Amino acid sequence: MSEPVSRPSGRSAAEEALLDAAERLLVEVGYAGITTRKLAEAAGVNHGLVHYYFGSNENLLVRALERFTDGLIARQQALYDSDEPFVEKWRTAMRFLVDDDAAYEKIWLELQALAWNDPSLRTRLAHVTAEWRRVLTDAFREPHRQLEIGMPLEALVTLVITFNLGIIVERLGGIHTGHAELLEWIDGWLSS
Amino acid sequence: MSEPVSRPSGRSAAEEALLDAAERLLVEVGYAGITTRKLAEAAGVNHGLVHYYFGSNENLLVRALERFTDGLIARQQALYDSDEPFVEKWRTAMRFLVDDDAAYEKIWLELQALAWNDPSLRTRLAHVTAEWRRVLTDAFREPHRQLEIGMPLEALVTLVITFNLGIIVERLGGIHTGHAELLEWIDGWLSS
DNA sequence: TCCTCTCTTAGACAGATGACTAAGTCATTT
DNA sequence: AAATGACTTAGTCATCTGTCTAAGAGAGGA
């Protein structure tokens, strides 16, 4: 027999390797280029294991999405939970945003593109975005008051989230025009 | 013989129908779900015509991209070229942005997602974005001065382009939180 | 009328793909 | 040492996919 088991004790190395391979392939070829055999090859395991551990190719991507988004929320929490002053948090976040290594962002947006055509995945991503919004709203409450920003807090958070997302998308398309200028002006404005 | 001909006089109805079908399928199933036979079926033509007119599936998508981006630039030009006051132009643009029918935006972002994994397509899209930036820079030059906006023009244009793009991406993911609040505040601020 | 050229059709073909399975291996338990 | 159960392998199978081709339809000109 070789039926998928009810998640025994510890995850096998192969299972983790396949999820890692999924993330790597999302970066390298995008979700549309991911096949059972490519996954297995990238993970260095037999291609039958995709069925053994995940049942199907699609399910593997769902699991990869869940693992990735769990990590994403934790990472965002950690950034804004620290004791640093707000300006430092902002600078760290913006440094991540324009980092040369866009692997994390590529995975995130490939998963979003996948979800555009899969309503069940959209639910999961909507939850992550809501969590992200919550974290940012908390983080911006104090600076929003202190810096006397005209617009309502919710509008400010929306603006920050969306322009960040837009920068990521442009960068994935190879466009960098104006990004540095915008971020530098914001940085200078925060410092004053 | 059935070799692709050197674009005779007028395009056949089938050729147009295939390009139309490509756009419809981008909206309905995304680029990854587009196959030769689905294209032909959606266009109501024989699947052999994909090879006859475009040589390959991929080439058809490239042609669809070219046709779409041509229209996109024209549409953007037309919006900001009109004689209306700036506020009206802005309102029209924002109405398009949050329109219930996101077909146009879906096509645009599916093509971008396709380009993330295809360097040659990226060049084409980068050109469109550059053109869009040029149009917006012209349109914002006067209001930027009159409204005494603190940040440099280039930073402002970047902010507008990226937060618009971010809103589109969020909407494709089914997220609408805060969009109306942000746009309403901007609208109010412009009116004052 | 016949011929030419464009357009269309149906189908062939190799290769890839997702899903699945029988037969193993191997460590741990009894 | 035997048995158990998790893990792995190599391979099968039906289906789909992209590409290409031979054959024909039909319009317009000679």
Side-chain angles (χ1 to χ4, degrees):
Chain A
M1 290 304 109
S2 57
E3 269 305 295
V5 211
S6 58
R7 195 86 64 77
S9 49
R11 287 175 183 167
S12 95
E15 197 177 358
E16 290 289 312
L18 279 170
L19 292 174
D20 291 344
E23 293 196 355
R24 249 177 298 134
L25 285 178
L26 282 174
V27 175
E28 289 167 18
V29 298
Y31 76 89
I34 293 186
T35 66
T36 310
R37 286 163 179 83
K38 270 193 212 161
L39 272 168
E41 194 196 342
V45 304
N46 187 278
H47 74 272
L49 296 185
V50 172
H51 173 253
Y52 182 72
Y53 283 110
F54 302 94
S56 74
N57 207 336
E58 189 187 333
N59 227 289
L60 194 158
L61 278 181
V62 172
R63 290 275 305 280
L65 177 143
E66 287 172 356
R67 195 185 68 161
F68 181 80
T69 53
D70 281 348
L72 194 55
I73 292 179
R75 178 172 124 150
Q76 290 162 341
Q77 275 281 9
L79 173 60
Y80 282 101
D81 267 2
S82 76
D83 279 341
E84 293 175 309
F86 174 79
V87 186
E88 286 312 312
K89 294 177 184 176
W90 175 263
R91 280 180 183 149
T92 307
M94 293 306 108
R95 237 179 287 122
F96 272 119
L97 188 63
V98 295
D99 193 81
D100 277 342
D101 178 20
Y104 218 80
E105 287 79 7
K106 180 77 191 315
I107 297 173
W108 178 227
L109 270 130
E110 283 287 344
L111 291 173
Q112 298 228 17
L114 179 59
W116 296 340
N117 303 294
D118 184 332
S120 66
L121 291 186
R122 273 213 293 264
T123 311
R124 171 87 194 188
L125 295 194
H127 169 254
V128 175
T129 302
E131 196 67 16
W132 177 220
R133 168 176 287 275
R134 200 186 54 72
V135 171
L136 268 196
T137 306
D138 284 348
F140 274 81
R141 190 164 285 119
E142 199 54 25
H144 171 261
R145 203 175 47 77
Q146 287 196 352
L147 293 165
E148 293 177 10
I149 294 170
M151 71 182 79
L153 178 58
E154 190 174 14
L156 174 66
V157 170
T158 301
L159 181 62
V160 170
I161 288 180
T162 55
F163 101 74
N164 271 267
L165 188 51
I167 283 182
I168 293 174
V169 173
E170 284 205 335
R171 286 172 53 84
L172 291 184
I175 295 152
H176 300 79
T177 321
H179 297 178
E181 285 78 0
L182 174 58
L183 295 180
E184 266 164 31
W185 179 84
I186 295 175
D187 197 270
W189 182 80
L190 282 176
S191 305
S192 67
Chain B
M1 292 301 107
S2 57
E3 269 305 295
V5 211
S6 57
R7 196 84 66 79
S9 48
R11 287 175 182 168
S12 95
E15 197 177 359
E16 290 289 312
L18 280 170
L19 292 174
D20 291 343
E23 294 196 355
R24 249 176 298 134
L25 285 178
L26 283 175
V27 174
E28 289 166 18
V29 298
Y31 76 89
I34 293 186
T35 66
T36 310
R37 286 162 180 84
K38 272 193 210 162
L39 272 168
E41 194 196 343
V45 303
N46 189 278
H47 76 272
L49 295 186
V50 171
H51 172 253
Y52 181 72
Y53 282 110
F54 302 94
S56 75
N57 206 336
E58 190 188 333
N59 227 289
L60 194 158
L61 277 181
V62 171
R63 290 275 305 279
L65 178 142
E66 286 171 356
R67 195 184 68 160
F68 181 81
T69 52
D70 282 347
L72 194 55
I73 292 179
R75 181 173 122 147
Q76 290 162 340
Q77 275 280 10
L79 173 61
Y80 283 100
D81 267 0
S82 76
D83 279 342
E84 294 175 309
F86 173 79
V87 185
E88 286 312 312
K89 293 177 182 175
W90 174 263
R91 281 183 181 146
T92 306
M94 293 306 108
R95 236 179 287 121
F96 272 120
L97 188 63
V98 295
D99 192 82
D100 277 342
D101 179 20
Y104 217 81
E105 286 79 7
K106 179 78 192 313
I107 297 172
W108 178 228
L109 269 130
E110 283 288 344
L111 291 173
Q112 299 229 16
L114 179 58
W116 296 340
N117 302 295
D118 184 333
S120 67
L121 292 186
R122 274 214 292 264
T123 312
R124 171 87 194 190
L125 295 193
H127 169 256
V128 175
T129 302
E131 194 67 16
W132 177 219
R133 167 176 289 274
R134 199 186 54 72
V135 171
L136 268 196
T137 306
D138 284 348
F140 274 81
R141 190 165 286 116
E142 197 55 24
H144 171 261
R145 203 175 47 76
Q146 287 196 351
L147 293 165
E148 293 177 10
I149 294 171
M151 71 182 80
L153 178 59
E154 189 174 13
L156 174 66
V157 170
T158 301
L159 181 62
V160 170
I161 288 180
T162 55
F163 100 75
N164 270 268
L165 188 51
I167 283 182
I168 292 174
V169 174
E170 285 206 335
R171 288 171 54 82
L172 290 183
I175 294 152
H176 300 78
T177 320
H179 297 179
E181 285 77 1
L182 174 58
L183 295 181
E184 266 162 33
W185 179 83
I186 296 175
D187 197 88
W189 182 80
L190 282 175
S191 305
S192 68

